[in-house]
Each structure stands twice: as structure tokens, then as C-alpha cells.
Amino acid sequence: MYTKLSMLNFFVVGNIKMHTSSKQLKKDFIKKWVKGLEICCSSNKKMDVMERKKKIKLCADIALASAKNATTSWSNALIYNAKKDDENAILVDNLLGPESRFNSQRTAHQMITFHKRVRSKRILKKSCTVSQRMKKASPPASNLATCIAKRLVKKRTQVLKKLVPGGEAMDEYSLIKEALDYILSLRVQVDVMRSLANATEVLD
């Protein structure tokens, strides 16, 4: 009971801190996003509408991740994935700046460790014979609800891991913490982009 209350308190306090820092995050995001758009616009490459949309989204995502200054796992994973494409490397480096705490080697090491762990689990799972699986007794009726609940939690956790950048390499505790931060950061991103769209409509 104490552990659950401690975790709840941690997330509530963390939530309040995130809300208070959202103003600064908005400022940093706008600054970096505009800079990213300027870099993309300065390119001589001709882009159609879909390519422009992708570039705007890419700039927004990298700007948001770099505005967090490598303080979260999701932002590190997002930047790491973006940098894998050589075409995005210049954009990422410019938005990160020399003051960034992003460590590509550390992030790469975390991703490699995760993939090794996944491969080991798959090999272990395949090594189980059909006869061993058949020997497993069906859960008693009293435990059926618990088993169903656990399966639902597992499925939803897997979905959440796919939604949060780098989520597949996180444990459940870290995943909840990172998901909360990611959601609040996305809200900041959406608010800024909506405000810019509204301002553009007024000017037109």
C-alpha cells in the first residue's frame, strides 16, 4: 500500500512540475521549431505538399525533443532515430546546439542492449516445447478474472510502448513516467502549432 501511495505521490508531484515548466518549454520549442523551418526553407531541394508536411512534422518533433535537452528517454530516442537518416543529421545538430546534453553513444548502447534482450527472450521462448506448454494447467475459475486483467494490462502496455519513442526499451515504471511527460510535451507542441495556425488565418 505504501509503495503504491509513494508512486502516486511521485507522479502527482512530477505532473505539477511539468505544468510549471510548460511555459519555458513553449518558448524553447517555438525558438527551435522556427529555426528548423528556416533551415528546411533554405534548402534548394524542391518539395511537393506531402514532403513539406513531413518536414514541418519532423522539425516540430526534433524541436520538441531538443527543447527537453536530453532530460527524458523519449526525447533521446526521438533524436537518435532522426539522426540515423543522414539527411536529417544537419537539422538535428543545428537544433540541438553545442549546449545539448544528448549523448548518441549512450542512447545507442541502450538500444543495442534492448535488442539483445529481446532476441534472448525470443530464443528462450522458442526453446519451450509443445509438451511443456500443454502441461500447464488451466487457471482456476477464481483466478480467471485476475488472469484476464493481467493480459489486458500486458496488451495495453505493449501498445503504449509502441506509442512512446524508445518505449520498447523501458520497464513499466519508466514507461508510465515517460508517457506522462511525452503527453504533456505533445500538448505544448499542439498548443503552439494551433496558435500559429490561428494567427496565420487572422493575417490572411
Side-chain angles (χ1 to χ4, degrees):
M1 180 69 178
Y2 176 75
T3 308
K4 286 182 179 179
L5 286 171
S6 299
M7 284 178 69
L8 183 62
N9 182 59
F10 173 80
F11 288 125
V12 169
V13 172
N15 230 349
I16 294 167
K17 286 181 179 178
M18 285 176 199
H19 278 297
T20 55
S21 63
S22 64
K23 286 184 179 179
Q24 186 58 47
L25 181 61
K26 278 185 181 181
K27 288 180 182 177
D28 292 340
F29 169 66
I30 293 168
K31 184 180 176 182
K32 289 176 180 290
W33 188 38
V34 170
K35 186 178 179 181
L37 291 172
E38 286 174 350
I39 293 167
C40 289
C41 289
S42 64
S43 173
N44 294 323
K45 183 184 175 182
K46 290 183 179 180
M47 293 183 285
D48 57 29
V49 176
M50 285 304 297
E51 285 177 323
R52 285 177 185 174
K53 282 183 178 179
K54 285 180 182 178
K55 280 293 180 183
I56 291 168
K57 180 68 169 64
L58 178 68
C59 287
D61 287 343
I62 296 172
L64 184 66
S66 60
K68 297 296 293 185
N69 199 19
T71 54
T72 57
S73 296
W74 70 260
S75 59
N76 278 319
L78 205 155
I79 292 167
Y80 175 75
N81 289 331
K83 282 199 81 169
K84 285 195 289 187
D85 188 341
D86 293 336
E87 195 176 323
N88 301 329
I90 296 171
L91 177 64
V92 174
D93 291 337
N94 273 278
L95 293 186
L96 286 175
E99 73 282 357
S100 173
R101 287 180 284 181
F102 173 71
N103 188 323
S104 58
Q105 289 183 339
R106 183 182 61 196
T107 307
H109 175 71
Q110 289 172 348
M111 297 301 285
I112 290 166
T113 304
F114 162 69
H115 288 302
K116 282 181 178 178
R117 192 162 63 241
V118 169
R119 280 198 296 270
S120 299
K121 284 182 179 179
R122 283 175 182 170
I123 292 166
L124 186 64
K125 194 173 181 179
K126 285 179 181 178
S127 66
C128 296
T129 61
V130 177
S131 59
Q132 285 176 326
R133 289 197 293 269
M134 290 180 69
K135 282 180 183 178
K136 289 182 180 178
S138 300
S142 58
N143 294 332
L144 186 60
T146 305
C147 290
I148 292 169
K150 283 181 178 179
R151 283 175 190 168
L152 284 171
V153 170
K154 189 176 180 181
K155 282 182 180 179
R156 288 174 183 177
T157 301
Q158 290 301 321
V159 171
L160 190 59
K161 283 187 173 187
K162 290 177 183 178
L163 293 173
V164 179
E168 292 181 351
M170 300 175 196
D171 55 56
E172 289 181 6
Y173 181 79
S174 300
L175 180 65
I176 295 169
K177 181 185 172 185
E178 291 286 327
L180 281 170
D181 187 273
Y182 185 51
I183 290 165
L184 290 170
S185 299
L186 284 175
R187 187 183 293 174
V188 167
Q189 187 189 63
V190 170
D191 287 345
V192 171
M193 295 176 84
R194 185 182 290 129
S195 298
L196 185 63
N198 291 339
T200 306
E201 285 178 9
V202 172
L203 288 171
D204 289 343

